[in-house]
Amino acid sequence: MTNKVQSSGVLDIIQEKFQNDSIVLVVTAKDNVPTVRSVDSFYYQGSFWIVTDLNCNYVKEIQSNPYVMISDGGHNRFWCKAYVTGHPLDVVNKDIREVFLKVFHHWYKEVNNEDIQSVCYIKATPYKGYVHKDKIGYSFNLDEDVVTIADIKHHIDVKLEPFW
């Protein structure tokens, strides 16, 4: 079944799954060689947000090639366009910094020294992807305003219990 993005509920599912402190994988590429790393992130108002440092290799890769993939390490994956929004104390980041402080309240100030000028925020906005919930998969393309919804017929939603 094909729907429009807004009426499909796919954006609500992404918000529900990733609005809190979430470990995600960020994949970048340099000279057609992909690299992946795990980062803390959250999804807010249509984008994934990351606090990091301008000196990190993946930030440099984003600055030269803004197309990244974000995944939860499972089947949920998002093709995004990412960019550095600046230092957390920049005026443009005032509102999102408040969200960072709420979402990462246990560790934000302890881990991020905002006196260091290279601390920065990354905003990664999905333009297409795949997310699942309740044995239903949603393949979406925001640019085309299309979501394909299908029942999942394989192991994607299996919840395994420990055997010990």
Side-chain angles (χ1 to χ4, degrees):
M1 167 178 26
T2 302
N3 284 343
K4 299 274 187 195
V5 171
Q6 292 300 322
S7 62
S8 69
V10 70
L11 299 177
D12 294 330
I13 294 168
I14 299 168
Q15 180 72 26
E16 176 187 324
K17 284 182 174 271
F18 298 100
Q19 68 186 335
N20 298 312
D21 187 348
S22 303
I23 301 294
V24 297
L25 302 174
V26 177
V27 182
T28 58
K30 180 179 179 185
D31 300 326
N32 292 322
V33 177
T35 57
V36 64
R37 78 277 304 142
S38 60
V39 299
D40 273 296
S41 179
F42 62 90
Y43 183 84
Y44 179 76
Q45 294 186 340
S47 297
F48 290 92
W49 289 88
I50 302 162
V51 60
T52 188
D53 191 285
L54 289 169
N55 297 312
C56 292
N57 287 335
Y58 80 98
V59 175
K60 294 173 186 175
E61 291 166 3
I62 287 169
Q63 289 173 317
S64 64
N65 177 3
Y67 294 97
V68 303
M69 177 179 269
I70 291 181
S71 171
D72 64 357
H75 292 83
N76 299 302
R77 58 198 176 276
F78 311 95
W79 287 264
C80 302
K81 190 162 185 183
Y83 68 97
V84 176
T85 67
H87 190 276
L89 299 178
D90 289 350
V91 173
V92 297
N93 286 323
K94 182 179 187 263
D95 292 339
I96 195 64
R97 182 176 180 271
E98 293 302 316
V99 179
F100 270 96
L101 291 170
K102 287 178 186 170
V103 173
F104 297 153
H105 65 277
H106 292 298
W107 59 265
Y108 183 91
K109 288 185 177 182
E110 182 178 332
V111 172
N112 298 293
N113 181 352
E114 293 178 342
D115 291 334
I116 298 172
Q117 288 305 305
S118 57
V119 175
C120 66
Y121 290 157
I122 300 284
K123 180 180 183 181
T125 305
Y127 56 91
K128 69 178 182 176
Y130 178 84
V131 66
H132 66 87
K133 180 181 178 181
D134 299 329
K135 297 185 182 176
I136 299 173
Y138 301 81
S139 295
F140 64 92
N141 185 318
L142 294 172
D143 293 339
E144 297 175 8
D145 195 25
V146 173
V147 176
T148 302
I149 302 169
D151 291 336
I152 298 170
K153 306 267 190 249
H154 50 84
H155 72 283
I156 195 167
D157 278 339
V158 172
K159 302 216 182 334
L160 299 176
E161 295 295 324
F163 61 87
W164 58 91

